[in-house]
Amino acid sequence: AQRVTQPEKLLSVFKGAPVELKCNYSYSGSPELFWYVQYSRQRLQLLLRHISRESIKGFTADLNKGETSFHLKKPFAQEEDSAMYYCASYTGGFKTIFGAGTRLFVKA
Amino acid sequence: EAGVAQSPRYKIIEKRQSVAFWCNPISGHATLYWYQQILGQGPKLLIQFQNNGVVDDSQLPKDRFSAERLKGVDSTLKIQPAKLEDSAVYLCASSTTGELFFGEGSRLTVL
């Protein structure tokens, strides 16, 4: 069965520190992986997707098929990065499954 | 481009009452999803439509939840009768290429 695991419910870092939000997936095929973000009082929105290989707001994520991971990283966290982050897996059949989410809190 | 619209934003009902949520997806998006998000959890897929046909409703509690997407555009999600554990945010999303576009959600409180 398709599953997405985010082991940390809460991650707290100081401004300027590196941050890594972990995501592991289980799926027998080749899913497409996404990171979605929800800032306070805003709707859930796409942050980045692995096929685009872009860096959005300083965040990057690399798909590691060997470890079935898609960790989200940023070298220097900013206060405005504080939000709820969800890893998601999209498979054939247009189905998207979400992880439980990690709340990132960046302290001044 | 207008985003995904949902209504109502908030609804408070007593258990055993009924409630309906409405969603208008982004124009041209064939795929429409309803997710349930309970506090502290990630979005859980309830039902997925491709145009006006159901693709996946395996997680929909069909004894009390129903959804339809007439004419392949707007969609309605209904709960009847509601239980306390249905308290959650109900998210509608639409998609064409894998990226989901979400509405603001409808927050349901069942007392």
Side-chain angles (χ1 to χ4, degrees):
Chain A
Q2 185 184 357
R3 188 165 57 242
V4 176
T5 303
Q6 293 181 251
E8 303 135 331
K9 277 195 169 293
L10 173 66
L11 189 61
S12 183
V13 301
F14 282 102
K15 176 182 173 182
V19 62
E20 181 179 57
L21 289 82
K22 292 184 168 53
C23 172
N24 288 90
Y25 66 92
S26 63
Y27 180 63
S28 57
S30 296
E32 184 175 353
L33 277 297
F34 296 78
W35 277 98
Y36 287 83
V37 61
Q38 188 166 28
Y39 301 104
S40 179
R41 296 189 180 86
Q42 294 186 28
R43 65 183 69 191
L44 199 53
Q45 60 187 289
L46 179 70
L47 179 62
L48 55 81
R49 60 198 298 179
H50 89 269
I51 61 170
S52 65
R53 299 180 179 273
E54 291 177 309
S55 172
I56 306 294
K57 297 184 179 182
F59 284 97
T60 59
D62 291 319
L63 180 62
N64 185 322
K65 292 186 177 180
E67 296 182 357
T68 59
S69 68
F70 187 57
H71 303 328
L72 183 68
K73 300 176 185 178
K74 185 169 183 177
F76 308 103
Q78 302 299 314
E79 289 180 76
E80 55 265 30
D81 295 328
S82 294
M84 198 72 190
Y85 291 80
Y86 294 96
C87 183
S89 169
Y90 173 76
T91 64
F94 311 101
K95 190 171 181 177
T96 299
I97 301 297
F98 287 82
T102 298
R103 178 168 296 283
L104 174 64
F105 181 55
V106 181
K107 297 175 285 190
Chain B
E1 178 182 84
V4 176
Q6 288 188 249
S7 68
R9 289 291 313 280
Y10 305 94
K11 188 74 175 180
I12 300 174
I13 61 173
E14 295 188 348
K15 60 183 179 182
R16 291 188 290 272
Q17 287 187 322
S18 63
V19 63
F21 302 114
W22 172 82
C23 172
N24 181 239
I26 292 174
S27 178
H29 281 196
T31 312
L32 185 148
Y33 309 80
W34 283 101
Y35 285 88
Q36 179 193 56
Q37 187 170 25
I38 293 173
L39 188 64
Q41 299 181 19
K44 171 190 164 186
L45 180 66
L46 290 176
I47 189 167
Q48 175 186 334
F49 292 94
Q50 185 70 13
N51 296 307
N52 61 349
V54 175
V55 174
D56 186 342
D57 64 356
S58 57
Q59 298 294 305
L60 188 74
K62 297 179 186 64
D63 58 334
R64 298 183 300 105
F65 285 66
S66 64
E68 59 182 10
R69 190 183 184 195
L70 299 176
K71 301 181 181 178
V73 182
D74 293 6
S75 178
T76 302
L77 176 71
K78 295 180 182 177
I79 308 174
Q80 182 179 15
K83 291 185 175 182
L84 296 177
E85 57 261 37
D86 298 333
S87 293
V89 176
Y90 290 86
L91 297 169
C92 179
S94 67
S95 174
T96 54
T97 61
E99 175 185 351
L100 267 60
F101 294 84
F102 284 89
E104 293 181 295
S106 294
R107 182 178 296 277
L108 174 65
T109 301
V110 183
L111 303 175

